[in-house]
Amino acid sequence: MGDTLEFNNIHTEVKGSWNDGRLRFSKQSLVYKSHKTGKVDSIPAPELSAAQWRRVCVGHGIKLATSTGHVYRYDGFRDTDFEKISAFFKANYKVELAEKDMCVKGWNWGTAKFTGSLLSFDVNDSPVFEIPLASVSQCATGKNEVTVEFHQNDDAEVSLMEVRFYVPPNTGDDGSDPVEAFAQNVLSKADVIQATGDAVCIFKELQCLTPRGRYDIRIYPTFLHLHGKTFDYKIPYTTVLRLFLLPHKDQRQMFFVISLDPPIKQGQTRYHFLILLFSKDEELSLALNMSEDEVEKRYEGKLSKNMSGSLYEIVSRVMKALVNRKITVPGNFQGHSGSQCITCAYKASSGLLYPLERGFIYVHKPPVHLRFEEISCVNFARGTTTTRSFDFEIETKQNNQYTFSNIEREEYGKLFDFVNAKKLNIKNRGIKEGMKGADGYSDSDEDQHDAYLERMKEEGKIREEGDGSDESEGDSDESFNPGEEDDDVPEEYDSNASVSDSEADDADSEDEGKKKKPEKKPKKVVKEKKERKPRKEKVKDPGAPKRPMSAYMLWLNGNRERIKSENPGISVTEISKKAGEMWKQLSKDRKEEWDRKAEEAKKQYEKAMKEYRESGGGAAASVTKEKKKKGGKVEAKKKSRGEKEKKKEIVNESFKSKEFISSEESSSESEHDRGSKHKASEDEEEAASTPASSEEESGSD
């Protein structure tokens, strides 16, 4: 038999809702931790007085009773677990695990038994159902009837609102009323919010952020009473899950946060957190409404009858003693400004995010608490409005996403290191580490220059200027140069280039006004020519000495392998970013060392270049370049001349109208030019059989 027994997927019923968790039996205690809330119930082994094994709706269950009167029920065991658990209880707790059968007759009359904080309805000494009295919120009496109402749980799909018991009239001689006796037994253990005595202490007009307002807080032994001008809230200590004491970023105020499960309700509004705001300067002297012996006996030195100090310290100390919960404070995290929190926005409101040792908490509207156990992954995202901030996204295992936005980029490094140290899963880890710079965040929009975008903008401006000049002058040619060497120029422009001024004047006679509008069509062809114009490439001399590298490039070549080894799997672009960050962080002395090396390399280059020019290397390269340039021009002229002669032969052979010679991109201007060009050959014009052509009309003119 081992020292511990552990069971997963064990259920416990909380106000009508099943909560999953993990149950562990050890020699010292029994510990149950809820998966949903993270709440831990611990039962010391010496307090365990009785244990029952029962068949329930979800397999088998265990009912445990303690000497203090508390009852715990856990379900979800298998039939085979009985022997193992029974042997462990006998060996370590000296308690026998007894088997108990439930009554399934379906009778609705029986005996009500009050054992500790449990009401058991039995038929023939077998329980039909049991009611935890801690779930009772109110008890009302009638003539022969007792109505028991229950606390509601928002997580329960179906809730039990109330149960009514019919109590027969008493026939005995003692004279007591059985209905009142039944109600008193229920109220003695029920979680009914009622003041049965004087308050232990009262705090006047504390500032409360959630729910908003000024409240008087009255501390009772079993519950907390918030009394405001409009609403009253009564909070049992059993519903308090956690306590937080958080310093404000201004270092002058303190948040005291009380986490509640189930939450307090006001209509349809649920408050899962009670948030109090204190000023550090507020002082208070408090005297508890109890004798010193009672304070010592009940709170075992945690409180004293007379206390004085800061208001937030006294409130947190009293709450810690009465609720019996630890107070969580921020851990070792420290932001860029030295505070223990990060300014950000969640949904529509701005607030503070506190990285804790076991989770995150955001205050204050709406408050959010996320434990590391619930978190599936986190992500650092670029801000949507500006590059001066980023978003921190948290995704839980229940597929809920929380986005904390508008975080200053200076906080990136601190938050990333904190998340990394807590071993949380980070999306796009490699990319985010590459983004991390000397200031904790890299602004790529400022560091990178888009040369392609700038070039396209310049070309667009040139086109716009060209379009404006064409429209104003009414000319279709965009400063077209007939002698330009371009193989892609259409043939009709080659023919236009040979037209003299006198011929153009003859052609533009009486039809000039009528045929001027279609002249805009060739503009498209000219633009295409302009876009297809090849760039002039620089001819490099292969024999010339190589230019010297800058100080940064010399340093990068010497440290490239070290960067790769320190960051395995890093890409080429990330190496450049990382190197830039490291170069910025180099000390002045180290940079001067690489500057000296770059200066030496420059001197060596100048010396080698001088020797190269003296040997005639540079002159030979320039001669070769000139020859290549002249040869290209001669070839282009020859090609252009050959195309012109070829076209003349085609025209002399047989004249046809424009539709048979060129493409559908025709213009009246080119027709006039052709007509004036062939004006001398009147015999060929008469032989042409195209009576409707514009060329014939211009020839007769």
Side-chain angles (χ1 to χ4, degrees):
M1 178 64 63
D3 293 339
T4 60
L5 282 178
E6 192 164 327
F7 299 92
N8 291 318
N9 298 323
I10 300 301
H11 313 284
T12 183
E13 185 265 332
V14 178
K15 294 182 173 63
S17 176
W18 287 107
N19 284 359
D20 295 343
R22 187 174 73 248
L23 181 64
R24 187 178 72 230
F25 300 114
S26 65
K27 291 184 177 181
Q28 293 79 22
S29 62
L30 289 78
V31 179
Y32 178 80
K33 183 174 183 180
S34 172
H35 288 160
K36 179 189 172 186
T37 62
K39 185 177 180 180
V40 177
D41 292 327
S42 181
I43 308 172
E47 292 184 6
L48 190 64
S49 59
Q52 286 183 2
W53 177 267
R54 305 183 300 181
R55 183 172 182 83
V56 291
C57 59
V58 189
H60 292 77
I62 291 179
K63 174 185 172 184
L64 303 175
T66 63
S67 57
T68 56
H70 291 89
V71 176
Y72 301 89
R73 296 181 298 172
Y74 302 106
D75 300 344
F77 297 96
R78 292 175 295 180
D79 192 15
T80 55
D81 295 333
F82 173 73
E83 295 181 1
K84 185 166 48 175
I85 298 173
S86 179
F88 188 89
F89 276 34
K90 281 183 181 179
N92 297 285
Y93 304 148
K94 304 296 186 289
V95 173
E96 185 174 350
L97 185 62
E99 291 189 75
K100 185 76 173 177
D101 293 330
M102 303 291 288
C103 179
V104 292
K105 287 185 177 182
W107 294 1
N108 64 342
W109 63 91
T111 306
K113 293 183 178 179
F114 295 91
T115 54
S117 61
L118 204 67
L119 166 60
S120 177
F121 187 78
D122 296 352
V123 174
N124 297 334
D125 293 333
S126 294
V128 178
F129 62 86
E130 294 175 341
I131 298 175
L133 295 179
S135 300
V136 176
S137 64
Q138 192 56 262
C139 182
T141 59
K143 184 177 180 182
N144 292 318
E145 191 176 71
V146 177
T147 302
V148 178
E149 298 178 7
F150 301 99
H151 289 293
Q152 298 305 303
N153 190 345
D154 292 338
D155 296 330
E157 296 181 2
V158 179
S159 296
L160 179 64
M161 302 297 293
E162 64 179 33
V163 174
R164 294 184 181 182
F165 294 95
Y166 172 76
V167 182
N170 188 13
T171 57
D173 298 332
D174 54 356
S176 61
D177 187 357
V179 174
E180 289 296 330
F182 189 98
Q184 288 301 320
N185 284 328
V186 172
L187 290 172
S188 63
K189 298 294 182 180
D191 189 14
V192 179
I193 308 300
Q194 58 181 358
T196 56
D198 295 333
V200 175
C201 59
I202 300 174
F203 299 102
K204 292 284 188 180
E205 292 191 357
L206 297 184
Q207 183 180 356
C208 194
L209 300 180
T210 305
R212 184 179 169 189
R214 290 272 181 177
Y215 287 87
D216 293 343
I217 297 184
R218 299 174 182 176
I219 306 294
Y220 289 92
T222 58
F223 68 93
L224 177 73
H225 182 199
L226 268 70
H227 176 67
K229 293 182 179 179
T230 309
F231 301 110
D232 280 1
Y233 301 97
K234 296 178 180 178
I235 305 170
Y237 295 143
T238 53
T239 65
V240 175
L241 199 58
R242 291 180 183 85
L243 302 173
F244 301 91
L245 189 61
L246 309 170
H248 197 281
K249 193 170 185 177
D250 60 10
Q251 302 299 324
R252 293 180 296 176
Q253 300 179 96
M254 296 290 291
F255 293 109
F256 184 62
V257 183
I258 302 173
S259 174
L260 304 173
D261 183 44
I264 56 178
K265 306 168 188 177
Q266 185 60 51
Q268 296 299 318
T269 308
R270 303 290 184 267
Y271 298 107
H272 291 269
F273 293 87
L274 176 65
I275 303 179
L276 303 173
L277 182 63
F278 299 97
S279 173
K280 285 188 175 181
D281 300 333
E282 287 185 81
E283 300 285 334
L284 179 70
S285 296
L286 180 69
L288 299 182
N289 191 19
M290 301 171 69
S291 64
E292 292 185 3
D293 294 338
E294 286 178 330
V295 172
E296 183 65 29
K297 183 180 179 181
R298 181 174 293 185
Y299 302 113
E300 299 176 354
K302 296 177 182 177
L303 297 176
S304 56
K305 180 174 175 58
N306 297 302
M307 294 181 289
S308 61
S310 299
L311 178 59
Y312 74 90
E313 290 181 350
I314 294 177
V315 172
S316 58
R317 186 178 172 186
V318 170
M319 289 298 299
K320 180 182 177 182
L322 291 169
V323 177
N324 198 22
R325 298 275 179 196
K326 293 180 180 179
I327 295 180
T328 303
V329 297
N332 299 324
F333 176 81
Q334 198 169 36
H336 176 72
S337 59
S339 60
Q340 294 177 298
C341 58
I342 295 172
T343 304
C344 61
Y346 176 62
K347 293 187 176 178
S349 301
S350 179
L352 300 172
L353 179 67
Y354 290 84
L356 308 174
E357 288 301 313
R358 296 184 180 179
F360 295 96
I361 186 169
Y362 173 82
V363 290
H364 77 99
K365 193 175 181 179
V368 177
H369 178 234
L370 298 168
R371 294 176 290 119
F372 291 154
E373 299 171 1
E374 300 176 88
I375 296 174
S376 171
C377 61
V378 300
N379 183 33
F380 294 86
R382 177 72 70 187
T384 55
T385 56
T386 175
T387 56
R388 292 288 175 184
S389 64
F390 67 96
D391 296 351
F392 182 56
E393 300 172 352
I394 300 178
E395 189 173 330
T396 64
K397 294 176 181 176
Q398 287 78 29
N399 295 326
N400 296 323
Q401 185 165 332
Y402 300 85
T403 302
F404 303 98
S405 57
N406 296 336
I407 304 176
E408 295 179 358
R409 70 175 188 174
E410 288 80 11
E411 302 286 0
Y412 176 84
K414 301 284 187 181
L415 185 57
F416 184 90
D417 292 341
F418 174 82
V419 171
N420 203 23
K422 295 301 179 182
K423 298 180 180 178
L424 296 177
N425 184 22
I426 305 174
K427 283 186 179 180
N428 303 330
R429 176 184 291 269
I431 295 174
K432 299 308 171 188
E433 286 178 342
M435 273 167 52
K436 191 175 171 186
D439 60 351
Y441 198 72
S442 171
D443 192 355
S444 60
D445 292 347
E446 294 179 0
D447 298 340
Q448 295 181 6
H449 176 74
D450 194 341
Y452 177 75
L453 179 62
E454 295 298 326
R455 182 162 59 84
M456 296 307 293
K457 285 181 179 178
E458 290 298 326
E459 289 184 6
K461 289 180 181 177
I462 292 170
R463 290 196 191 97
E464 289 176 3
E465 291 172 2
D467 293 345
S469 62
D470 292 341
E471 291 173 5
S472 62
E473 295 172 7
D475 240 337
S476 63
D477 292 337
E478 262 185 295
S479 63
F480 177 72
N481 184 9
E484 198 170 349
E485 298 84 20
D486 197 336
D487 297 337
D488 297 327
V489 179
E491 291 181 0
E492 57 181 292
Y493 285 99
D494 291 334
S495 63
N496 289 343
S498 63
V499 177
S500 64
D501 295 337
S502 60
E503 290 172 340
D505 293 336
D506 293 336
D508 298 331
S509 56
E510 53 188 303
D511 296 333
E512 183 179 0
K514 184 170 63 177
K515 298 181 179 180
K516 206 166 187 179
K517 287 184 180 178
E519 289 176 357
K520 292 185 179 179
K521 285 191 177 179
K523 188 194 298 181
K524 295 183 180 178
V525 182
V526 175
K527 284 190 176 182
E528 290 178 5
K529 173 199 76 69
K530 187 175 179 182
E531 290 174 359
R532 290 199 297 269
K533 183 177 177 181
R535 292 184 178 180
K536 295 179 181 179
E537 297 183 359
K538 293 182 180 179
V539 180
K540 292 184 179 180
D541 189 358
K546 290 186 178 180
R547 287 184 174 276
M549 288 189 287
S550 63
Y552 169 71
M553 292 304 297
L554 288 171
W555 173 85
L556 177 60
N557 288 342
N559 292 271
R560 191 186 300 274
E561 294 301 324
R562 181 168 68 87
I563 295 172
K564 286 183 180 179
S565 61
E566 291 177 356
N567 302 273
I570 192 170
S571 66
V572 177
T573 55
E574 290 171 354
I575 289 176
S576 302
K577 289 182 180 180
K578 191 74 177 176
E581 296 163 9
M582 295 171 67
W583 176 254
K584 288 179 183 178
Q585 294 174 358
L586 274 184
S587 63
K588 189 176 179 181
D589 297 338
R590 292 281 293 159
K591 284 188 179 180
E592 287 178 355
E593 179 184 341
W594 290 101
D595 288 337
R596 285 195 298 271
K597 290 182 180 180
E599 192 66 29
E600 291 174 5
K602 186 177 180 181
K603 289 178 181 178
Q604 292 176 4
Y605 167 75
E606 291 174 353
K607 184 179 178 183
M609 198 67 188
K610 186 177 179 182
E611 294 174 357
Y612 176 71
R613 284 172 180 162
E614 288 175 357
S615 64
S622 61
V623 170
T624 306
K625 186 176 178 182
E626 285 294 326
K627 284 183 178 179
K628 194 178 284 188
K629 188 174 180 182
K630 288 179 180 178
K633 287 185 177 181
V634 171
E635 287 178 7
K637 285 182 179 180
K638 285 181 180 179
K639 189 172 182 182
S640 178
R641 193 178 298 116
E643 288 174 352
K644 291 175 183 177
E645 290 174 359
K646 187 177 179 182
K647 187 171 181 183
K648 284 179 182 179
E649 290 174 5
I650 294 171
V651 173
N652 293 333
E653 208 174 78
S654 161
F655 181 81
K656 290 186 180 181
S657 65
K658 180 67 173 61
E659 295 89 83
F660 298 91
I661 295 174
S662 62
S663 63
E664 58 187 11
E665 292 183 353
S666 61
S667 69
S668 59
E669 181 190 350
S670 60
E671 292 167 1
H672 276 292
D673 292 343
R674 287 195 184 88
S676 61
K677 185 176 179 182
H678 303 294
K679 188 176 181 181
S681 54
E682 293 179 359
D683 297 336
E684 292 176 3
E685 289 176 4
E686 291 175 1
S689 57
T690 52
S693 65
S694 62
E695 287 87 347
E696 187 175 353
E697 293 175 7
S698 61
S700 62
D701 294 338

